[in-house]
Amino acid sequence: MIFKKIKKAHVDWRDFLCGTPANDYIFQKDDYEDQIRNAVNLIKDADTVIIGAGAGASTAAGLEYGGKKFRENFHEFIMKYGGHYMTDMYAAGFYPFPSEEAKWGYWSKHALINRFDPPALPLYKELYDIVKDKEYFVLTTNVDHQFYKAGFAEKRIFATQGDYGKIQCQRGCHPKTYDAKELFQKMDAARKDCLIPSELVPKCPVCGGNMAMNLRCDNYFVEDEAWHEAADRYADFLEQHQSEKVVLIELGVGFNTPIIIRFPFEKMVRENASYSLIRLNKDEAVVPESFGKRAVGIGGDMTHAITDIWRLS
């Protein structure tokens, strides 16, 4: 694999992306127990593991954005802005808050509940135990920091879509992000009627404009130096291990943003005879039939499947 270089000799993010789906998807008919054994054997036989994790992984691990957790923690927001809009934490993030005080009143609490407060969850800790003695790398679209908390080395993680713990200039006027943990804690402590005090509203230190969460939701997402360095390390990892036996473990990646993990993983298996794919997905565990025994598609309860793989590893 050859990756193009961009400014400052960083790799071009577009080289990682792939928009071509397989044309021979199937749901495998193997018994669950056989699928687990096949997955364990692929991992044991591999020299290298690449993990790709999407939103379904954190949902399976227990980071629920709706239901009782949302109602209990965001009751005041639901009452203030209306249950029609405030249906879960994800939808609430798109609410057109009337002021910066209102916007950060919500996002500071969201970040604390989903990024800073939760401990490392069992699914991620078991996954780490499965791969820790292998050469591994993690590619994830999740922004909740669970891989870091579970023990995965920071230098072996590329979180492509941002981090709930960082903020940036809303207009992306400069390529830098800022750690916001202490600021969010101050906001949470001072919030009244869903609003934070005006003096806590963050302003861009360069242009003086508004700040935003460092989440890829528009063309202003900031890919800072640390982001580019992680992308470079991922590119280097792919090149260094290309000729080895590599197993790709894909967790909870559906067809919402498949060009970042799902389709590129299939492309790598298609182009490398020594690569295999383990796809865990509650409802969309289809795999290309042409991969044969080099692919395992496990549906249903991902937490249960990871635990079973961990016990046999």
Side-chain angles (χ1 to χ4, degrees):
M1 301 176 192
I2 303 298
F3 295 95
K4 292 180 291 186
K5 300 295 182 179
I6 57 176
K7 186 178 180 182
K8 295 184 180 180
H10 288 306
V11 299
D12 190 335
W13 163 239
R14 292 168 296 183
D15 290 342
F16 295 120
L17 308 181
C18 175
T20 307
N23 59 9
D24 60 342
Y25 284 132
I26 60 168
F27 284 102
Q28 293 177 327
K29 297 181 180 179
D30 306 64
D31 291 337
Y32 172 78
E33 291 76 13
D34 290 335
Q35 287 185 312
I36 294 298
R37 282 192 291 268
N38 291 340
V40 170
N41 289 335
L42 287 176
I43 294 170
K44 286 183 176 179
D45 192 45
D47 304 306
T48 301
V49 179
I50 301 175
I51 296 170
S58 286
T59 300
L63 285 177
E64 293 285 350
Y65 277 24
K68 181 180 179 181
K69 179 179 179 181
F70 176 65
R71 293 191 300 271
E72 289 183 347
N73 286 283
F74 289 87
H75 177 73
E76 61 175 328
F77 292 87
I78 297 170
M79 297 300 294
K80 185 178 181 70
Y81 300 116
H84 178 73
Y85 300 101
M86 296 280 159
T87 57
D88 56 62
M89 281 179 264
Y90 179 78
F94 292 97
Y95 184 83
F97 294 103
S99 66
E100 289 297 292
E101 289 82 358
K103 179 181 81 174
W104 290 110
Y106 172 77
W107 275 109
S108 57
K109 189 174 184 68
H110 181 118
L112 289 172
I113 287 175
N114 294 296
R115 160 68 163 82
F116 293 107
D117 292 347
L121 299 172
L123 182 150
Y124 287 93
K125 292 193 291 185
E126 290 175 358
L127 186 62
Y128 176 66
D129 283 341
I130 291 169
V131 306
K132 65 182 180 181
D133 295 325
K134 300 275 188 181
E135 285 293 321
Y136 71 82
F137 204 98
V138 174
L139 176 68
T140 181
T141 56
N142 294 340
V143 293
D144 51 34
H145 224 62
Q146 277 294 313
F147 281 104
Y148 301 85
K149 292 180 179 181
F152 290 85
E154 182 175 355
K155 299 297 184 183
R156 297 188 179 208
I157 303 172
F158 179 23
T160 68
Q161 307 300 81
D163 186 332
Y164 276 149
K166 295 180 179 180
I167 60 176
Q168 62 166 79
C169 173
Q170 184 171 290
R171 304 296 293 181
C173 78
H174 64 292
K176 187 175 179 179
T177 61
Y178 301 86
D179 186 285
K181 180 178 181 179
E182 291 186 9
L183 178 61
F184 288 161
Q185 290 172 333
K186 290 179 181 178
M187 290 177 177
D188 191 56
R191 186 182 59 255
K192 293 182 180 180
D193 190 28
C194 302
L195 307 175
I196 66 163
S198 297
E199 60 267 22
L200 290 181
V201 171
K203 293 296 181 180
C204 176
V206 175
C207 71
N210 293 331
M211 301 287 277
M213 298 292 288
N214 179 230
L215 304 173
R216 191 187 296 276
C217 58
D218 55 31
N219 291 330
Y220 298 110
F221 175 70
V222 169
E223 297 171 355
D224 62 11
E225 185 65 17
W227 186 97
H228 281 290
E229 289 175 353
D232 292 344
R233 289 193 296 269
Y234 181 53
D236 290 342
F237 189 89
L238 293 179
E239 298 235 4
Q240 292 168 5
H241 299 280
Q242 185 176 5
S243 62
E244 299 176 355
K245 287 185 177 180
V246 178
V247 62
L248 307 170
I249 303 177
E250 183 192 288
L251 307 163
V253 181
F255 289 97
N256 186 22
T257 53
I259 67 170
I260 299 174
I261 297 173
R262 190 180 186 106
F263 294 167
F265 273 25
E266 292 173 1
K267 183 174 185 287
M268 282 191 274
V269 176
R270 192 175 299 116
E271 296 178 350
N272 297 274
S274 61
Y275 280 43
S276 58
L277 171 67
I278 301 170
R279 172 168 286 159
L280 295 99
N281 195 295
K282 181 180 179 182
D283 301 310
E284 299 169 334
V286 289
V287 295
E289 186 176 20
S290 55
F291 290 175
K293 294 182 179 180
R294 291 193 297 135
V296 179
I298 304 174
D301 188 336
M302 187 188 309
T303 302
H304 182 56
I306 288 294
T307 296
D308 287 342
I309 291 172
W310 171 66
R311 285 172 175 166
L312 293 177
S313 296

